[in-house]
Amino acid sequence: FGHATTSTDTSPTHTYLTTNTFNVKLVAAYRGNMCPTQLIKPITVSPLPTATITTQGGAFQFCPGGKLKLEVSSAFTSYLWSTNEATPTIEVTTGGTYNVKLTNSIGCFIQPSQVVTLLTAPTVTASADPPVINIGQTSQLLATAGLSSYNWTPGRTLSDSTIVNPVARPQEPTTYRVTATGSNGCSGEAEVQVEVTFNDVVNLLNPGNFISPNGDGFNDTWEVGLINNFPQCGVKIFNEEGAKVFE
C-alpha cells in the first residue's frame, strides 16, 4: 500500500491515516509464485475538508414565529442538507439537529451538524380594573409581572406605556394591547378591553352655570371642572333660535 503494510486479499480495503502520495504495488502470480508480475499505481491521499455550520449572529436559537439562517462555506462543489436542500444556506423555522453533506472537487466529503433551539415565548396576560368606567374615570391595567420590558398601545391615554401596570383614562371604548419581552428576548402579546360609559357627563364636569365677560372680575371666564381629563372635548354656543354662533 505504499508503506509497511500488505494484504493477500484479492480486493482489499485499506485506510490511510496520513496525507501523501503512496505508490501502491500489486504482485500477482500463479501457485508456487510462478510467473509473477506486478503493477504500481500512485494514490494521492488529500486532507479531509473542514467546515462548520454558522449563523450571522453566532446564535443557534430563535423565537417562535421567527426563522434562522444556517450557512456553510461556498467552497464546495455540492451540498445536501438534512432538509433535502442543495444550497450553501438554508432558513429553518423549527428546532432540531441539522446536518449537511459537503463534497469538494476531488470527491472528499464532510458532514457537519448543528443543534438549533426554538426558544419559548412568555405567556402574557392583561387585565383592567375596573373593566368598565364612566368617562373621565380611570382603569388600572396590569400585565404579567416579572418580564424584561413592556409596550402598551395605544399609549396616548396611558400614564406610562412602558410599565407593567399603567393607568388608563380612555375617552371611548378602547382595546389595549401589551407586548412583553422575556429574559430570552422572545415576546408575547395580550389584549384587554376597557369599556367607557357616558353617564352624567355634565355633572361630572360640573361646568359653570353662566358667564359675564364684562371685565368686572366676576364670572369673566367660564370654568369647567376636570376639563384636563377630556383632551377631545369641545365647546359649541347656540343662540335662542338654535343657530350655532361659536365653536
Side-chain angles (χ1 to χ4, degrees):
F1 297 107
H3 54 80
T5 306
T6 60
S7 172
T8 58
D9 294 338
T10 302
S11 301
T13 298
H14 183 68
T15 300
Y16 288 92
L17 301 179
T18 59
T19 60
N20 206 338
T21 297
F22 300 89
N23 290 316
V24 179
K25 181 173 67 174
L26 169 64
V27 178
Y30 294 117
R31 289 184 180 181
N33 201 27
M34 295 291 293
C35 303
T37 186
Q38 68 179 23
L39 180 66
I40 298 177
K41 286 192 174 182
I43 291 181
T44 299
V45 180
S46 300
L48 280 174
T50 59
T52 57
I53 300 174
T54 61
T55 63
Q56 287 186 343
F60 294 95
Q61 56 189 21
F62 62 102
C63 297
K67 56 187 177 181
L68 187 66
K69 184 178 181 180
L70 303 180
E71 51 190 341
V72 291
S73 170
S74 59
F76 294 88
T77 55
S78 70
Y79 306 82
L80 183 59
W81 293 85
S82 50
T83 59
N84 291 324
E85 294 170 272
T87 54
T89 64
I90 63 171
E91 288 186 341
V92 298
T93 57
T94 59
T97 300
Y98 295 87
N99 59 70
V100 56
K101 182 178 180 181
L102 307 171
T103 306
N104 64 12
S105 58
I106 61 173
C108 296
F109 68 89
I110 189 173
Q111 193 161 336
S113 64
Q114 178 63 51
V115 176
V116 174
T117 302
L118 179 63
L119 300 174
T120 302
T123 300
V124 181
T125 60
S127 62
D129 184 25
V132 180
I133 62 173
N134 194 23
I135 189 169
Q137 295 178 332
T138 62
S139 178
Q140 178 68 67
L141 304 186
L142 179 64
T144 304
L147 300 178
S148 299
S149 65
Y150 300 87
N151 182 41
W152 293 84
T153 57
R156 179 175 52 83
T157 55
L158 297 177
S159 60
D160 189 338
S161 62
T162 63
I163 61 176
V164 65
N165 56 344
V167 175
R169 193 189 297 270
Q171 304 298 301
E172 57 188 0
T174 302
T175 298
Y176 292 98
R177 177 188 294 270
V178 58
T179 301
T181 303
S183 58
N184 62 2
C186 297
S187 299
E189 295 182 342
E191 290 182 349
V192 62
Q193 174 84 14
V194 178
E195 297 292 339
V196 179
T197 60
F198 298 87
N199 301 325
D200 300 325
V201 176
V202 174
N203 292 332
L204 180 66
L205 289 173
N206 192 27
N209 290 329
F210 53 86
I211 178 175
S212 58
N214 57 5
D216 62 358
F218 296 98
N219 301 313
D220 288 329
T221 59
W222 185 49
E223 299 292 339
V224 181
L226 301 179
I227 195 64
N228 290 332
N229 294 339
F230 298 90
Q232 297 179 354
C233 69
V235 174
K236 297 179 183 180
I237 299 176
F238 298 84
N239 63 18
E240 292 179 350
E241 286 75 29
K244 184 173 67 176
V245 296
F246 181 79
E247 181 175 2

